Amino acid sequence: MRRQTTRIRTFVAATMLAGLAGTAALPALAQQSAPPTTTPTTAPNPTADSVNEDMLFKQGPKIGGRISIPDQKAANLIQPQGREWRGFHETWMPWIGAAAILGMVALLGLFYFTRGRIRMEHSEESGRKILRFNGFERFTHWMTATCFIILALSGLNYIFGKRLLMPVIGPDAFATLSQWAKYAHVYLAWPFMLGIVFMFVVWLRDNIPNRIDLQWIKAGGGFIGKGHPHAERFNAGQKVVFWMVAGFGTAMGVTGLMMLFPFAATDINGMQIMQGIHSLIGVAFIAAILAHIYIGSLGMEGAYDAMGSGKVDLAWARAHHDLWVEKEQARTASGPQLRTHHAPAE
C-alpha cells in the first residue's frame, strides 16, 4: 500500500515538473516560430511630412482660418503680397536707402574737396545787414527742420536699426530706443505737416519759376565758374528745394496718415504699398535735405546767417540775390539795411 502511494506521489510530481518546463519553453518557441521584424532605417521627419507654406499657396491665394472676434481681417494669416512686401523691406529697401544717402554724402564730399567752400565777396558795403527772414519764417523753418531730423533718424532706425544699432547696444536697449523712436515719429509728424503748410503759404509767392531761373541754371548758379547770376529772393536751386519739400512733405504726410489710421481708407495691400512709397520718398527726401544742409552751412559762407539771425551781409545779399535787394531797397526811401552797431552779435 505504501509502495503504491509513493508511486502515485512520484507520478504527480513528475507531471507538475513537466508542465512547468513546458510553460517556460513557450516564449522561446514563440520567438523561434514568429517571423523576424524589420527595424526602420530612418526615423520619421515631422518637418518633411507636414504641410508647408508653398503647398498651401498652391491650393489658394491666402493662408487663413476661422476666428470668433468681429474683425474678420484677422482671419488672414499671410498672403502673397505680404511676402512680397517682406522681401522688399528686408532686401531691397536697405540697399536703396544706403545707396541714396551714402551716395549723396560721397557726392557732397567730392564737391567740397574739388570746389571748396563758396566764399563771401567782401566790398565797401560789407558790414551792413539786411533782413532776409522774419521771426515767423525762421520759427517755421526750424520747427519743420527739427521735426524732420527726428523723423528721419527714427525712420532710418526702422530700416537699419536691427542691422547696425542693435549689435552695438544690445536687444534690450534697442527695443527701448525703438519704442521711443516710434512715439517721436508718430507725434512729431503733426508739427512737421503743419510746418509744411506754413512754408507753402508764406513762401509760395517767392517760389514761382520764371525766366530768371533759367538763366541762373545756365550760369551754374555760382557753383560752377566765377561770379553769381541774377536771382530774386529765392534762386532756382532754392525753388527746387521748396517744391521738393512741398511735394515730398505732402506725400509723406498722406502715406503716413494712411498707416497711422489703418483700414480707414484702404486694405492691408494698400497699406503695404503706402509703406513702400513712404520709405522710398523718405530716403530720397533725406538725401536731398543733406545737400540743402550742406549749402546752408559748410558749403557757402554767410548762408547760415539767413536762418540764424535772420539778417545777412548786404554784400552777400547783392552777390547772391541782387534783384531781391533792389526790390527791398525800393520799398522804402532809405532801404532796410542796418549799420553794424545796430546788428545783434553773431
Side-chain angles (χ1 to χ4, degrees):
M1 187 69 178
R2 291 180 179 176
R3 185 176 298 177
Q4 186 177 3
T5 303
T6 302
R7 288 178 180 178
I8 294 172
R9 290 178 178 176
T10 303
F11 176 78
V12 172
T15 303
M16 292 177 64
L17 289 174
L20 291 173
T23 303
L26 285 176
L29 293 175
Q31 291 179 358
Q32 293 178 1
S33 60
T37 57
T38 58
T39 303
T41 57
T42 58
N45 187 352
T47 303
D49 297 338
S50 63
V51 179
N52 56 36
E53 186 176 301
D54 292 333
M55 293 177 60
L56 289 176
F57 275 125
K58 290 179 181 179
Q59 298 176 6
K62 298 180 180 179
I63 298 177
R66 290 177 294 180
I67 58 175
S68 59
I69 61 177
D71 188 4
Q72 294 298 319
K73 297 185 295 297
N76 294 326
L77 300 179
I78 193 171
Q79 55 184 347
Q81 297 88 336
R83 295 195 302 174
E84 295 172 0
W85 171 86
R86 182 180 60 190
F88 169 79
H89 179 268
E90 296 296 326
T91 305
W92 288 103
M93 195 60 227
W95 285 104
I96 294 173
I101 297 173
L102 295 180
M104 178 58 71
V105 172
L107 288 176
L108 293 176
L110 179 63
F111 182 81
Y112 177 78
F113 287 110
T114 55
R115 174 65 172 84
R117 193 180 192 192
I118 301 175
R119 298 292 178 179
M120 185 170 62
E121 297 179 2
H122 298 280
S123 65
E124 67 277 3
E125 294 180 312
S126 181
R128 301 168 70 92
K129 299 289 183 176
I130 183 172
L131 182 65
R132 178 120 173 97
F133 296 112
N134 60 36
F136 180 75
E137 290 174 316
R138 298 198 307 277
F139 165 77
T140 299
H141 173 272
W142 288 116
M143 178 188 71
T144 310
T146 303
C147 293
F148 176 84
I149 292 173
I150 299 176
L151 291 170
L153 292 176
S154 56
L156 291 176
N157 179 68
Y158 181 67
I159 301 174
F160 300 105
K162 67 180 181 181
R163 296 172 174 85
L164 302 178
L165 192 58
M166 187 171 67
V168 177
I169 65 176
D172 293 336
F174 176 72
T176 302
L177 177 65
S178 298
Q179 184 68 25
W180 285 103
K182 174 188 174 182
Y183 293 148
H185 202 89
V186 170
Y187 290 109
L188 290 182
W190 299 100
F192 172 76
M193 290 186 289
L194 183 64
I196 295 293
V197 174
F198 284 169
M199 287 193 295
F200 186 81
V201 173
V202 171
W203 289 329
L204 174 62
R205 180 183 61 181
D206 297 319
N207 280 279
I208 303 300
N210 53 40
R211 294 181 179 179
I212 299 174
D213 300 323
L214 295 177
Q215 299 300 323
W216 188 91
I217 294 174
K218 291 180 180 179
F223 295 96
I224 303 174
K226 296 182 179 180
H228 299 283
H230 296 296
E232 299 176 317
R233 189 185 188 193
F234 296 110
N235 56 43
Q238 292 169 324
K239 291 181 180 180
V240 170
V241 172
F242 170 83
W243 288 107
M244 178 205 68
V245 169
F248 282 2
T250 302
M252 294 293 285
V254 171
T255 55
L257 288 174
M258 294 183 71
M259 292 184 291
L260 191 59
F261 299 98
F263 303 107
T266 183
D267 57 3
I268 186 66
N269 293 324
M271 288 190 294
Q272 290 169 354
I273 295 173
M274 291 301 104
Q275 189 180 70
I277 296 174
H278 195 83
S279 302
L280 291 173
I281 295 177
V283 295
F285 206 171
I286 293 172
I289 291 299
L290 286 175
H292 175 66
I293 294 173
Y294 167 80
I295 295 300
S297 56
L298 182 62
M300 180 180 293
E301 184 181 7
Y304 177 78
D305 295 338
M307 280 299 172
S309 64
K311 302 179 180 66
V312 296
D313 188 271
L314 184 59
W316 182 92
R318 282 182 170 171
H320 296 281
H321 303 276
D322 56 334
L323 300 179
W324 169 72
V325 173
E326 292 178 3
K327 290 182 179 180
E328 287 295 303
Q329 290 183 325
R331 284 200 309 159
T332 59
S334 59
Q337 63 270 22
L338 303 174
R339 294 191 179 277
T340 307
H341 64 276
H342 289 159
E346 299 182 21

